[in-house]
Amino acid sequence: DAKTTQPPSMDCAEGRAANLPCNHSTISGNEYVYWYRQIHSQGPQYIIHGLKNNETNEMASLIITEDRKSSTLILPHATLRDTAVYYCIAHRFYNQGGKLIFGQGTELSVKP
Amino acid sequence: EPEVTQTPSHQVTQMGQEVILHCVPISNHLYFYWYRQILGQKVEFLVSFYNNEISEKSEIFDDQFSVERPDGSNFTLKIRSTKLEDSAMYFCASSEVGDEQFFGPGTRLTVL
């Protein structure tokens, strides 16, 4: 799976959009971009994933650049409960499952 | 909403003892995983399990580790002879078709 690069930390004001960037310049054509988050040593939580098109679900939006070398996770109205470490993972879907390779992620602090 | 459960939440053991960590994956899921996270470090993949056999394992998953699905609902991780460096949070995860993985809350293992 391709390596991803994320800023180590970010701050966001409560109620504002949090935009978390990720670089994955060596991503291959069959690798998806996955986002997970981990709230204070709890189990990682799946947020969203995409291949080429932008994706939106009830938690977040994922914007992937046309060349697929980078992406941005958007939390539209961040709350204090969104304070967590966010992981961007380039992951190829395997028929027999596949390991997720976690980096250090971005520690997002949402402040009142 | 279905979720992955893990027991116990905290296990304390003496070095050299055997421990078994228990997980109940989401009921219709077919792929099962164990990860661990040493305090302050990244989440690391240990093993994936599909169709009643290991599909992939990491270098960490040596002969001291084993996994089992003893019945239709449980998925266990056994460490035969624990070492101090096995102290970590252990997360179980499951997925339906090998895509997004759903993680349990973790078992904190402390080896004394």
Side-chain angles (χ1 to χ4, degrees):
Chain A
D1 293 346
K3 182 175 162 44
T4 62
T5 305
Q6 301 177 251
S9 63
M10 290 182 65
D11 290 341
C12 177
E14 188 179 18
R16 305 298 290 267
N19 296 282
L20 292 97
C22 179
N23 283 317
H24 31 79
S25 57
T26 61
I27 196 168
S28 60
N30 59 359
E31 285 181 314
Y32 289 74
V33 179
Y34 279 77
W35 284 84
Y36 285 77
R37 72 181 182 184
Q38 187 176 27
I39 298 171
H40 193 247
S41 296
Q42 295 178 22
Q45 178 188 22
Y46 165 80
I47 302 173
I48 198 167
H49 73 282
L51 184 64
K52 287 192 284 193
N53 300 321
N54 299 337
E55 301 287 344
T56 295
N57 64 18
E58 65 278 2
M59 287 183 71
S61 295
L62 174 60
I63 309 296
I64 303 174
T65 57
E66 197 168 331
D67 62 8
R68 299 208 333 118
K69 293 186 176 181
S70 65
S71 60
T72 302
L73 178 76
I74 302 171
L75 308 178
H77 305 286
T79 71
L80 299 178
R81 288 183 297 177
D82 292 321
T83 291
V85 179
Y86 287 77
Y87 300 100
C88 168
I89 300 171
H91 178 60
R92 181 157 53 100
F93 171 68
Y94 294 89
N95 287 333
Q96 295 178 341
K99 64 186 178 197
L100 293 171
I101 300 174
F102 288 84
Q104 299 289 357
T106 295
E107 187 165 4
L108 176 69
S109 296
V110 181
K111 299 181 185 301
Chain B
E1 184 176 318
E3 58 184 18
V4 176
T5 59
Q6 290 186 244
T7 54
S9 56
H10 191 188
Q11 174 88 48
V12 181
T13 190
Q14 295 291 325
M15 191 169 55
Q17 294 296 304
E18 174 183 286
V19 295
I20 299 176
L21 308 183
H22 297 266
C23 170
V24 179
I26 294 172
S27 63
N28 63 331
H29 284 186
L30 302 176
Y31 302 81
F32 313 109
Y33 313 83
W34 283 101
Y35 293 81
R36 80 170 186 192
Q37 186 174 32
I38 295 170
L39 186 63
Q41 298 187 23
K42 296 186 285 189
V43 177
E44 300 174 288
F45 169 79
L46 292 178
V47 66
S48 58
F49 192 86
Y50 169 71
N51 201 26
N52 283 320
E53 60 183 24
I54 290 173
S55 46
E56 188 174 6
K57 59 183 180 180
S58 72
E59 291 176 355
I60 302 167
F61 194 88
D62 60 21
D63 292 343
Q64 292 299 313
F65 290 87
S66 61
V67 289
E68 196 177 34
R69 188 151 162 82
D71 54 41
S73 60
N74 289 286
F75 181 51
T76 61
L77 174 70
K78 183 195 291 188
I79 309 175
R80 267 182 260 286
S81 177
T82 51
K83 306 193 249 313
L84 295 176
E85 54 265 38
D86 293 328
S87 294
M89 283 289 287
Y90 287 81
F91 296 109
C92 173
S94 68
S95 64
E96 188 174 1
V97 289
D99 47 4
E100 59 259 37
Q101 296 178 21
F102 293 86
F103 285 76
T107 292
R108 180 177 300 283
L109 176 65
T110 301
V111 182
L112 301 176

Coordinates of all heavy atoms in Angstrom, one line a residue, chain A residues 34 36 38 41-46 49 87 91 93-104, chain B residues 31 33 35 37 41-43 45 48 50 55-56 89 91 97-105 108:
Chain A
Y34 N -8.7 5.6 2.4 CA -9.6 5.4 3.6 C -9.2 6.4 4.6 O -8.1 6.8 4.8 CB -9.4 4.0 4.1 CG -10.1 2.9 3.4 CD1 -9.6 2.4 2.2 CD2 -11.2 2.3 4.0 CE1 -10.3 1.4 1.5 CE2 -11.9 1.3 3.3 CZ -11.4 0.8 2.1 OH -12.1 -0.2 1.5
Y36 N -9.8 6.9 8.8 CA -10.3 6.4 10.1 C -9.9 7.4 11.2 O -9.1 8.3 10.9 CB -9.6 5.1 10.5 CG -10.1 3.8 9.8 CD1 -9.7 3.6 8.4 CD2 -10.9 2.9 10.4 CE1 -10.1 2.5 7.8 CE2 -11.3 1.8 9.8 CZ -11.0 1.6 8.4 OH -11.4 0.5 7.8
Q38 N -9.3 7.8 15.7 CA -9.2 7.2 16.9 C -9.3 8.2 18.0 O -8.5 9.1 18.1 CB -7.8 6.5 17.0 CG -7.7 5.6 18.3 CD -6.4 4.8 18.3 OE1 -5.4 5.2 17.7 NE2 -6.4 3.7 19.0
S41 N -7.4 6.5 22.4 CA -7.1 5.1 22.7 C -8.3 4.2 22.6 O -8.2 3.0 22.9 CB -6.5 4.9 24.1 OG -5.3 5.6 24.2
Q42 N -9.4 4.7 22.1 CA -10.5 3.8 21.7 C -10.1 3.0 20.4 O -9.1 3.4 19.8 CB -11.8 4.5 21.5 CG -12.3 5.2 22.7 CD -13.6 6.0 22.5 OE1 -14.3 5.8 21.5 NE2 -13.9 7.0 23.3
G43 N -10.9 2.1 20.0 CA -10.7 1.4 18.7 C -10.8 2.4 17.6 O -11.7 3.3 17.6
P44 N -10.0 2.3 16.5 CA -10.2 3.2 15.3 C -11.6 3.0 14.8 O -12.2 2.0 14.8 CB -9.1 2.6 14.4 CG -8.1 2.0 15.2 CD -8.8 1.4 16.4
Q45 N -12.1 4.1 14.3 CA -13.4 4.2 13.7 C -13.4 4.5 12.3 O -12.8 5.6 11.9 CB -14.2 5.2 14.5 CG -15.7 5.4 14.0 CD -16.3 6.6 14.7 OE1 -15.7 7.5 15.2 NE2 -17.7 6.6 14.7
Y46 N -14.0 3.8 11.4 CA -14.1 4.0 10.0 C -14.9 5.3 9.8 O -15.9 5.5 10.4 CB -14.8 2.9 9.3 CG -15.2 3.2 7.9 CD1 -14.3 3.2 6.8 CD2 -16.5 3.5 7.6 CE1 -14.7 3.5 5.5 CE2 -16.9 3.8 6.3 CZ -16.0 3.8 5.3 OH -16.4 4.1 4.0
H49 N -14.4 6.3 2.6 CA -13.4 5.9 1.7 C -13.8 6.3 0.3 O -15.0 6.5 0.0 CB -13.0 4.5 1.8 CG -13.9 3.5 1.3 ND1 -15.1 3.1 1.9 CD2 -14.0 2.8 0.1 CE1 -15.8 2.2 1.2 NE2 -15.1 2.0 0.1
Y87 N -6.6 9.2 10.6 CA -5.6 8.5 9.8 C -6.1 8.4 8.4 O -7.2 8.0 8.1 CB -5.5 7.1 10.3 CG -5.0 6.9 11.7 CD1 -5.9 6.7 12.8 CD2 -3.6 7.0 12.0 CE1 -5.4 6.6 14.1 CE2 -3.2 6.9 13.4 CZ -4.1 6.7 14.4 OH -3.6 6.6 15.7
H91 N -5.3 2.0 0.6 CA -5.5 0.6 0.9 C -6.1 -0.1 -0.3 O -7.1 0.4 -0.9 CB -6.5 0.5 2.1 CG -6.9 -0.9 2.5 ND1 -6.0 -1.8 2.8 CD2 -8.1 -1.5 2.5 CE1 -6.6 -3.0 3.1 NE2 -7.9 -2.8 2.9
F93 N -8.1 -3.1 -1.9 CA -9.1 -4.1 -1.5 C -8.6 -5.5 -1.9 O -8.3 -5.7 -3.1 CB -10.5 -3.8 -2.1 CG -11.5 -4.9 -1.9 CD1 -12.0 -5.1 -0.6 CD2 -11.9 -5.6 -3.0 CE1 -12.9 -6.1 -0.5 CE2 -12.9 -6.6 -2.8 CZ -13.4 -6.9 -1.5
Y94 N -8.6 -6.4 -1.0 CA -8.2 -7.8 -1.2 C -9.4 -8.7 -1.1 O -10.2 -8.5 -0.2 CB -7.1 -8.3 -0.2 CG -5.8 -7.6 -0.3 CD1 -5.6 -6.4 0.4 CD2 -4.8 -8.1 -1.1 CE1 -4.4 -5.8 0.3 CE2 -3.6 -7.4 -1.2 CZ -3.4 -6.3 -0.5 OH -2.1 -5.6 -0.5
N95 N -9.5 -9.7 -1.9 CA -10.6 -10.6 -1.8 C -10.6 -11.3 -0.5 O -11.6 -11.8 0.0 CB -10.5 -11.7 -2.9 CG -10.9 -11.1 -4.2 OD1 -11.7 -10.1 -4.3 ND2 -10.4 -11.6 -5.3
Q96 N -9.4 -11.5 0.2 CA -9.4 -12.1 1.5 C -9.1 -11.2 2.6 O -8.5 -11.5 3.6 CB -8.3 -13.2 1.4 CG -8.6 -14.3 0.4 CD -7.5 -15.4 0.4 OE1 -6.4 -15.1 0.7 NE2 -7.8 -16.5 -0.1
G97 N -9.6 -10.0 2.5 CA -9.4 -8.9 3.5 C -8.0 -8.3 3.3 O -7.3 -8.7 2.4
G98 N -7.6 -7.4 4.0 CA -6.3 -6.8 3.9 C -6.0 -5.9 5.0 O -6.9 -5.3 5.6
K99 N -4.7 -6.0 5.4 CA -4.3 -5.2 6.6 C -4.4 -3.7 6.3 O -4.1 -3.3 5.2 CB -2.9 -5.6 7.0 CG -1.9 -5.3 6.0 CD -0.5 -5.8 6.3 CE 0.5 -5.5 5.2 NZ 1.7 -6.3 5.3
L100 N -4.7 -3.0 7.3 CA -4.6 -1.5 7.3 C -3.3 -1.1 7.9 O -2.9 -1.6 8.9 CB -5.8 -0.9 8.1 CG -7.2 -1.1 7.6 CD1 -8.2 -0.6 8.6 CD2 -7.3 -0.4 6.2
I101 N -2.6 -0.3 7.2 CA -1.3 0.2 7.7 C -1.5 1.6 8.2 O -1.7 2.6 7.4 CB -0.2 0.2 6.6 CG1 0.0 -1.2 6.1 CG2 1.1 0.7 7.1 CD1 0.9 -1.4 4.9
F102 N -1.5 1.8 9.5 CA -1.7 3.1 10.2 C -0.4 3.8 10.3 O 0.7 3.3 10.7 CB -2.3 2.9 11.6 CG -3.7 2.4 11.6 CD1 -4.0 1.1 11.5 CD2 -4.8 3.3 11.7 CE1 -5.3 0.6 11.5 CE2 -6.1 2.9 11.7 CZ -6.3 1.5 11.6
G103 N -0.4 5.1 9.9 CA 0.7 6.0 10.2 C 0.5 6.7 11.5 O -0.2 6.2 12.4
Q104 N 1.1 7.9 11.7 CA 1.0 8.6 12.9 C -0.3 9.5 12.9 O -0.8 9.9 14.0 CB 2.2 9.6 13.1 CG 3.5 8.8 13.3 CD 3.6 8.1 14.6 OE1 2.7 8.1 15.4 NE2 4.7 7.4 14.7
Chain B
Y31 N -14.5 -11.4 7.6 CA -13.1 -11.2 7.7 C -12.8 -10.7 9.1 O -13.5 -9.8 9.6 CB -12.6 -10.2 6.7 CG -12.9 -10.5 5.3 CD1 -14.2 -10.3 4.8 CD2 -11.9 -11.1 4.5 CE1 -14.5 -10.7 3.4 CE2 -12.2 -11.4 3.2 CZ -13.5 -11.2 2.7 OH -13.8 -11.6 1.4
Y33 N -9.7 -9.6 12.2 CA -8.4 -9.0 12.3 C -8.0 -8.8 13.8 O -8.9 -8.5 14.6 CB -8.3 -7.7 11.6 CG -8.9 -7.6 10.2 CD1 -10.2 -7.4 10.0 CD2 -8.1 -7.8 9.1 CE1 -10.8 -7.4 8.7 CE2 -8.6 -7.7 7.8 CZ -10.0 -7.5 7.6 OH -10.5 -7.4 6.4
Y35 N -5.2 -6.2 15.8 CA -4.2 -5.2 15.7 C -3.7 -4.9 17.2 O -4.5 -5.3 18.1 CB -4.8 -3.9 15.2 CG -5.2 -3.9 13.7 CD1 -6.4 -4.5 13.3 CD2 -4.3 -3.4 12.8 CE1 -6.7 -4.5 12.0 CE2 -4.7 -3.4 11.4 CZ -5.9 -3.9 11.0 OH -6.2 -3.9 9.7
Q37 N -1.7 -1.8 19.8 CA -1.1 -0.4 19.9 C -0.4 -0.3 21.2 O -1.0 -0.3 22.2 CB -2.2 0.6 19.7 CG -1.7 2.0 19.7 CD -2.8 3.0 19.4 OE1 -4.0 2.8 19.9 NE2 -2.5 4.1 18.7
Q41 N 2.3 4.7 20.6 CA 2.8 4.3 19.2 C 1.6 4.1 18.3 O 0.5 4.2 18.6 CB 3.7 3.0 19.3 CG 4.9 3.3 20.2 CD 5.9 2.1 20.2 OE1 5.9 1.3 19.2 NE2 6.7 2.0 21.2
K42 N 2.0 3.7 17.0 CA 1.0 3.5 16.0 C 0.2 2.2 16.2 O 0.7 1.3 16.9 CB 1.7 3.4 14.6 CG 2.5 4.6 14.2 CD 3.0 4.5 12.8 CE 4.2 3.6 12.7 NZ 4.8 3.7 11.4
V43 N -0.9 2.1 15.6 CA -1.7 0.9 15.5 C -1.0 0.0 14.5 O -0.7 0.4 13.4 CB -3.1 1.2 15.1 CG1 -3.9 -0.1 14.9 CG2 -3.8 2.1 16.0
F45 N -0.8 -3.9 12.6 CA -1.5 -5.1 12.2 C -0.8 -6.3 12.8 O 0.4 -6.4 12.7 CB -1.5 -5.1 10.7 CG -2.0 -6.4 10.1 CD1 -3.3 -6.8 10.0 CD2 -1.0 -7.3 9.6 CE1 -3.7 -8.0 9.5 CE2 -1.4 -8.5 9.0 CZ -2.8 -8.8 9.0
S48 N -4.8 -11.4 10.0 CA -6.1 -11.4 9.4 C -6.6 -12.8 9.2 O -5.7 -13.7 9.0 CB -6.2 -10.6 8.1 OG -5.3 -11.2 7.1
Y50 N -9.7 -15.4 7.5 CA -10.8 -15.5 6.6 C -11.0 -17.0 6.3 O -10.0 -17.7 6.0 CB -10.6 -14.7 5.3 CG -11.6 -14.9 4.2 CD1 -12.9 -14.5 4.3 CD2 -11.2 -15.6 3.1 CE1 -13.8 -14.7 3.3 CE2 -12.1 -15.9 2.1 CZ -13.4 -15.4 2.2 OH -14.3 -15.7 1.2
S55 N -5.1 -15.5 6.8 CA -4.9 -15.0 5.4 C -3.6 -14.2 5.3 O -2.9 -14.2 4.3 CB -6.0 -14.3 4.8 OG -6.5 -13.3 5.7
E56 N -3.2 -13.5 6.4 CA -2.0 -12.7 6.4 C -1.6 -12.5 7.8 O -2.4 -12.4 8.7 CB -2.2 -11.4 5.7 CG -0.9 -10.6 5.5 CD -1.2 -9.3 4.7 OE1 -2.3 -9.0 4.4 OE2 -0.1 -8.6 4.4
M89 N -2.5 -2.2 23.9 CA -4.0 -2.3 23.6 C -4.1 -3.3 22.4 O -3.4 -3.1 21.4 CB -4.6 -1.0 23.3 CG -4.9 -0.1 24.4 SD -6.2 -0.7 25.5 CE -7.6 -0.3 24.4
F91 N -6.7 -4.7 19.6 CA -8.0 -4.4 19.0 C -8.3 -5.5 18.0 O -7.5 -5.9 17.2 CB -7.9 -3.1 18.2 CG -7.7 -1.8 19.0 CD1 -6.4 -1.2 18.9 CD2 -8.6 -1.3 19.8 CE1 -6.2 0.0 19.7 CE2 -8.4 -0.2 20.6 CZ -7.2 0.4 20.5
V97 N -16.9 -7.6 3.7 CA -16.4 -8.1 2.4 C -14.9 -7.6 2.2 O -14.5 -7.5 1.1 CB -17.3 -7.7 1.2 CG1 -18.5 -8.5 1.2 CG2 -17.5 -6.2 1.2
G98 N -14.2 -7.4 3.3 CA -12.8 -7.1 3.2 C -12.6 -5.6 2.9 O -11.5 -5.2 2.6
D99 N -13.6 -4.8 3.1 CA -13.4 -3.4 2.9 C -13.3 -2.6 4.2 O -12.4 -2.8 4.9 CB -14.4 -2.7 1.9 CG -15.9 -3.1 2.3 OD1 -16.1 -3.8 3.3 OD2 -16.8 -2.8 1.5
E100 N -14.3 -1.8 4.5 CA -14.1 -1.1 5.8 C -14.2 -2.0 7.0 O -15.0 -2.9 7.1 CB -15.2 0.1 6.0 CG -16.6 -0.3 5.9 CD -17.2 -0.1 4.6 OE1 -16.5 -0.2 3.5 OE2 -18.4 0.3 4.5
Q101 N -13.3 -1.8 7.9 CA -13.1 -2.6 9.1 C -13.7 -1.9 10.3 O -13.5 -0.7 10.5 CB -11.6 -2.9 9.3 CG -11.0 -3.7 8.2 CD -9.6 -4.0 8.4 OE1 -9.0 -4.0 9.5 NE2 -8.9 -4.3 7.3
F102 N -14.4 -2.7 11.1 CA -15.1 -2.1 12.3 C -14.3 -2.7 13.5 O -14.1 -3.9 13.6 CB -16.5 -2.5 12.3 CG -17.4 -1.9 11.3 CD1 -17.4 -2.5 10.0 CD2 -18.0 -0.7 11.5 CE1 -18.2 -1.9 9.0 CE2 -18.8 -0.1 10.5 CZ -18.8 -0.7 9.2
F103 N -13.8 -1.8 14.3 CA -13.0 -2.1 15.4 C -13.7 -2.2 16.7 O -14.7 -1.5 16.9 CB -11.9 -1.1 15.6 CG -10.8 -1.1 14.5 CD1 -11.0 -0.7 13.2 CD2 -9.6 -1.7 14.8 CE1 -10.0 -0.8 12.3 CE2 -8.6 -1.8 13.9 CZ -8.8 -1.3 12.6
G104 N -13.3 -3.1 17.6 CA -13.8 -3.2 18.9 C -13.1 -2.1 19.8 O -12.2 -1.4 19.4
P105 N -13.6 -2.1 21.1 CA -13.0 -1.1 22.0 C -11.6 -1.4 22.5 O -11.0 -0.5 23.1 CB -14.1 -1.1 23.1 CG -14.6 -2.4 23.1 CD -14.6 -2.8 21.7
R108 N -6.9 -3.9 27.1 CA -5.6 -3.4 27.5 C -4.9 -4.5 28.2 O -5.4 -5.0 29.3 CB -5.7 -2.2 28.5 CG -4.4 -1.7 29.0 CD -4.5 -0.4 29.9 NE -5.2 0.6 29.2 CZ -4.6 1.4 28.3 NH1 -3.3 1.3 28.0 NH2 -5.3 2.4 27.7

